[in-house]
Amino acid sequence: MAVPIAVLDCDLLLYGRGHRTLDRFKLEDVTDEYLVSTYGFPRQFICYLVDLLGATLSRPTQRSRAISPETQILAALGFYTSGSFQTRMGDAIGISQASMSRCVANVTEALVERASQFIHFPKDEATVQTLKEDFYGLAGMPGVLGVVDCTHVAIKAPNAEDLSYVNRKGLHSLNCLMVCDSRGVLLSAETHWPGSLADCTVLEQAALTSQFETGLHKDGWLLGDSSFLLRTWLMTPLHIPETPAEYRYNMAHSATHNVIERTFRTIRSRFRCLDGSKGTLQYSPEKSSHIILACCVLHNISLQHGLDVWSTPATGHMEQSEEEYEQMESVDSEACRVRQELLLTHFS
């Protein structure tokens, strides 16, 4: 008697004796419209991921009937973009819900391994100059290397005793520090910080701060909102602008910094597993952090492929920054001097 596919052992499905794959679903059998509506991405994008991750996902083992890299990627994309392990999606590609979960884990780790390949600041001078010019074109703010902010993603409670992930709203979350360019391409993403940490504390402890403090990124600055401290490499708004120059500075700062808010909305819209509409991420903080980072990698790859994700309607309930935006007073006199010089030189 035939064994129903839904009850086959997921390890046996995934890896398989003799490296033979299970291919009930084939890309060529469905339309582009179906792929976008079901998995969130068009055929060309999915084929690129198969080429990128195929070798990693094709691990030779001694078991039979392995799930192909193509099917693993479809299962993961289905979860990232829908936020659930729905039976109908598993049925569509011929695997069980348990196997879908294992596919998500495999694809997530493969994407995380490649995070530095797709999420990084530009290094050559010509690209850095173009980065600054693109930001300047938005609202006339000079010298900008990126805009920075934090956003919260809800996760399940790790355990009853661990309160480090409880944010100011009383929810368990990860506080994710991100930087993007003028197009919404992520230049930095640190997704592992506990939700109890304030944005300014996250930045203080982040690898991003170390990079800028040690001069890895020179001759420019990030823009951050008033939940961060003013630094020589991080320009924040003036708490109470008084002069015309100060008003112009704040307006240019706000218009430029808005790119990161738009980017957060884009990521939430495309990757519904992060937006809270299907509930919290049902994983440990470490695994949840990896899923968020994997979605960040896919976000950048999608922009590289010309997918206009900013046209996607914003929906869902992705937790935003928990800060009350009270002015963070800087004691850094050099940072105050740099901002004052910027005001006099470009906004007076």
Side-chain angles (χ1 to χ4, degrees):
M1 183 177 66
V3 179
I5 190 168
V7 299
L8 287 174
D9 177 74
C10 57
D11 282 334
L12 178 140
L13 279 171
L14 278 170
Y15 301 122
R17 188 175 295 110
H19 213 180
R20 188 158 51 92
T21 62
L22 177 67
D23 282 314
R24 284 199 163 195
F25 182 93
K26 295 185 180 298
L27 285 176
E28 58 267 25
D29 293 338
V30 296
T31 65
D32 283 335
E33 290 75 14
Y34 174 82
L35 290 173
V36 172
S37 65
T38 307
Y39 304 104
F41 293 95
R43 188 185 317 275
Q44 183 179 11
F45 182 90
I46 295 170
C47 289
Y48 173 82
L49 291 181
V50 172
D51 290 340
L52 178 70
L53 307 177
T56 302
L57 299 175
S58 300
R59 300 183 179 95
T61 73
Q62 297 304 310
R63 295 174 178 173
S64 63
R65 300 175 64 79
I67 295 181
S68 68
E70 179 180 282
T71 302
Q72 291 186 60
I73 288 168
L74 288 171
L77 291 179
F79 169 72
Y80 298 146
T81 58
S82 73
S84 67
F85 295 116
Q86 296 179 12
T87 302
R88 66 170 184 82
M89 188 169 294
D91 290 344
I93 53 179
I95 63 175
S96 68
Q97 183 171 318
S99 295
M100 278 197 64
S101 179
R102 191 67 65 87
C103 289
V104 170
N106 287 348
V107 174
T108 295
E109 293 310 308
L111 288 168
V112 167
E113 288 173 3
R114 291 161 177 78
S116 62
Q117 177 182 344
F118 294 99
I119 303 175
H120 56 80
F121 282 89
K123 297 179 181 179
D124 63 283
E125 292 185 9
T127 307
V128 171
Q129 185 59 34
T130 299
L131 180 67
K132 293 179 183 179
E133 291 172 357
D134 289 344
F135 271 119
Y136 187 81
L138 294 180
M141 181 69 76
V144 180
L145 297 173
V147 288
V148 59
D149 207 349
C150 289
T151 190
H152 287 250
V153 177
I155 63 172
K156 73 172 183 179
N159 57 63
E161 292 75 29
D162 190 351
L163 300 180
S164 65
Y165 292 93
V166 179
N167 60 36
R168 293 177 61 170
K169 293 183 178 180
L171 304 174
H172 290 82
S173 67
L174 290 169
N175 196 2
C176 305
L177 178 72
M178 301 187 192
V179 179
C180 73
D181 70 9
S182 63
R183 297 192 303 118
V185 175
L186 294 172
L187 307 176
S188 177
E190 299 185 34
T191 61
H192 62 283
W193 297 102
S196 65
L197 294 182
D199 292 1
C200 60
T201 304
V202 168
L203 182 62
E204 182 180 345
Q205 299 178 14
L208 179 69
T209 293
S210 178
Q211 293 175 16
F212 276 86
E213 293 285 0
T214 57
L216 183 60
H217 309 294
K218 300 178 181 179
D219 303 323
W221 40 68
L222 302 178
L223 296 188
D225 62 29
S226 56
S227 64
F228 298 115
L229 284 168
L230 177 70
R231 302 169 185 259
T232 56
W233 50 267
L234 177 64
M235 294 293 103
T236 60
L238 289 147
H239 182 40
I240 304 178
E242 297 177 346
T243 68
E246 290 175 347
Y247 275 102
R248 285 192 288 268
Y249 167 84
N250 270 15
M251 289 178 63
H253 187 291
S254 177
T256 307
H257 187 266
N258 184 58
V259 174
I260 190 70
E261 304 295 340
R262 197 176 176 189
T263 300
F264 288 157
R265 291 194 296 270
T266 294
I267 294 172
R268 177 194 64 203
S269 297
R270 170 142 277 170
F271 303 106
R272 300 294 297 276
C273 69
L274 307 181
D275 76 355
S277 64
K278 300 293 184 179
T280 62
L281 283 175
Q282 297 297 302
Y283 297 92
S284 68
E286 181 182 7
K287 289 184 177 180
S288 295
S289 170
H290 284 187
I291 287 173
I292 300 166
L293 185 55
C295 290
C296 290
V297 173
L298 290 173
H299 167 79
N300 275 10
I301 296 176
S302 68
L303 290 176
Q304 288 182 8
H305 280 72
L307 300 182
D308 185 12
V309 291
W310 278 4
S311 65
T312 306
T315 58
H317 308 87
M318 187 175 183
E319 292 292 327
Q320 297 300 319
S321 174
E322 295 291 321
E323 301 307 303
E324 295 180 348
Y325 298 109
E326 60 187 49
Q327 178 69 9
M328 301 293 294
E329 295 295 338
S330 176
V331 296
D332 188 338
S333 59
E334 179 62 15
C336 293
R337 185 197 66 77
V338 170
R339 185 170 65 181
Q340 187 62 29
E341 183 177 333
L342 175 60
L343 280 161
L344 294 174
T345 304
H346 293 279
F347 296 98
S348 296

